[in-house]
Amino acid sequence: MTEITEITEPLRTVRTERLELRAVGLDDLEPLFAINSDPEVWRHRPQGRHTEIGQTREWIERAVEGWADGLSYWTVRLRGPGGAGGESDGGSGPVVGIGGVQTQVARAHWNLYYRLAPAHQGKGYATELSRAALAAARQHTPQLPVFAWIHPDNPGSRSVAGRLGLIDHGLRLDPIYHDLLHLYADRPQSEWPARAVFANS
């Protein structure tokens, strides 16, 4: 199991074996637009692809606002030469994605989210990032469950959820996009706050 090797500035910078996770900011605009505008990244929800850089800017600004509560999404970089695992160090490596957890106050849960550039998929980075995100959520507000909404035709992300030990609660109506998605959670439904319960299909 991948371990977090370093945390600085309470949860704003987290280093795992191969990745550096830093609080997202507008300095990351261009590489994150390149990722979010790639059709392959959005193959399970093509309508979500960013076609203009302004969409990515607005997304980043919303993610930055989440850091006011102490935890939100990170920009994901490979650790550079000299880092653990030999792939990057101190953020000098390339941006390969974005992800982490963001609290959904009205629905009383954390939302686990990630997107990786196609060239960096299939290397275990999603699992490594997600383990760090789960640990951060449990450190920050352990009473809130962590949810991951996953398209039924996305076997890669469903496999990641399985490796994380998340429980598949079946198809539920996603309250944001109103799609039927698999709702994975880090605990049984009996341990969710009442307002975090979603209707089955």
Side-chain angles (χ1 to χ4, degrees), residues 22-46:
R22 281 197 271 165
V24 66
L26 287 174
D27 289 348
D28 308 317
L29 178 59
E30 290 189 8
L32 293 183
F33 175 63
I35 292 169
N36 278 302
S37 61
D38 189 325
E40 182 63 16
V41 172
W42 294 93
R43 63 187 179 278
H44 299 295
R45 191 175 179 274

Side-chain angles (χ1 to χ4, degrees), residues 58-78:
E58 291 175 2
W59 190 96
I60 291 173
E61 289 172 346
R62 290 194 300 271
V64 169
E65 289 175 1
W67 279 103
D69 295 326
L71 184 59
S72 183
Y73 298 137
W74 298 299
T75 298
V76 183
R77 293 171 171 82
L78 296 183

Side-chain angles (χ1 to χ4, degrees), residues 1-48:
M1 184 174 79
T2 300
E3 298 290 341
I4 295 175
T5 60
E6 183 180 355
I7 298 177
T8 61
E9 304 174 38
L11 302 177
R12 293 186 66 86
T13 302
V14 173
R15 294 185 179 92
T16 66
E17 181 182 1
R18 299 177 297 169
L19 303 174
E20 175 163 294
L21 314 172
R22 281 197 271 165
V24 66
L26 287 174
D27 289 348
D28 308 317
L29 178 59
E30 290 189 8
L32 293 183
F33 175 63
I35 292 169
N36 278 302
S37 61
D38 189 325
E40 182 63 16
V41 172
W42 294 93
R43 63 187 179 278
H44 299 295
R45 191 175 179 274
Q47 64 271 35

Side-chain angles (χ1 to χ4, degrees), residues 113-131:
Y113 172 91
Y114 61 82
R115 295 200 182 277
L116 295 172
H120 298 284
Q121 295 176 9
K123 299 181 180 181
Y125 296 145
T127 301
E128 192 165 331
L129 158 66
S130 297
R131 286 195 194 284

Side-chain angles (χ1 to χ4, degrees), residues 35-201:
I35 292 169
N36 278 302
S37 61
D38 189 325
E40 182 63 16
V41 172
W42 294 93
R43 63 187 179 278
H44 299 295
R45 191 175 179 274
Q47 64 271 35
R49 185 172 74 91
H50 295 189
T51 58
E52 298 180 357
I53 198 167
Q55 293 172 273
T56 305
R57 178 184 294 275
E58 291 175 2
W59 190 96
I60 291 173
E61 289 172 346
R62 290 194 300 271
V64 169
E65 289 175 1
W67 279 103
D69 295 326
L71 184 59
S72 183
Y73 298 137
W74 298 299
T75 298
V76 183
R77 293 171 171 82
L78 296 183
R79 297 183 65 178
E87 282 205 43
S88 89
D89 173 42
S92 61
V95 172
V96 300
I98 192 166
V101 289
Q102 193 172 77
T103 186
Q104 304 289 335
V105 176
R107 295 186 295 278
H109 72 275
W110 291 101
N111 182 62
L112 176 63
Y113 172 91
Y114 61 82
R115 295 200 182 277
L116 295 172
H120 298 284
Q121 295 176 9
K123 299 181 180 181
Y125 296 145
T127 301
E128 192 165 331
L129 158 66
S130 297
R131 286 195 194 284
L134 285 169
R138 290 164 180 165
Q139 177 177 324
H140 187 280
T141 313
Q143 67 269 27
L144 294 185
V146 179
F147 289 173
W149 294 91
I150 302 177
H151 195 282
D153 295 329
N154 189 343
S157 287
R158 294 186 68 188
S159 293
V160 169
R163 286 192 290 274
L164 296 171
L166 301 183
I167 302 166
D168 184 359
H169 291 275
L171 289 170
R172 307 278 180 122
L173 191 65
D174 167 25
I176 296 178
Y177 301 115
H178 306 292
D179 294 329
L180 281 175
L181 304 176
H182 280 269
L183 173 56
Y184 285 81
D186 68 338
R187 63 198 71 183
Q189 184 170 323
S190 59
E191 298 177 17
W192 301 355
R195 67 183 185 278
V197 176
F198 296 87
N200 290 330
S201 61

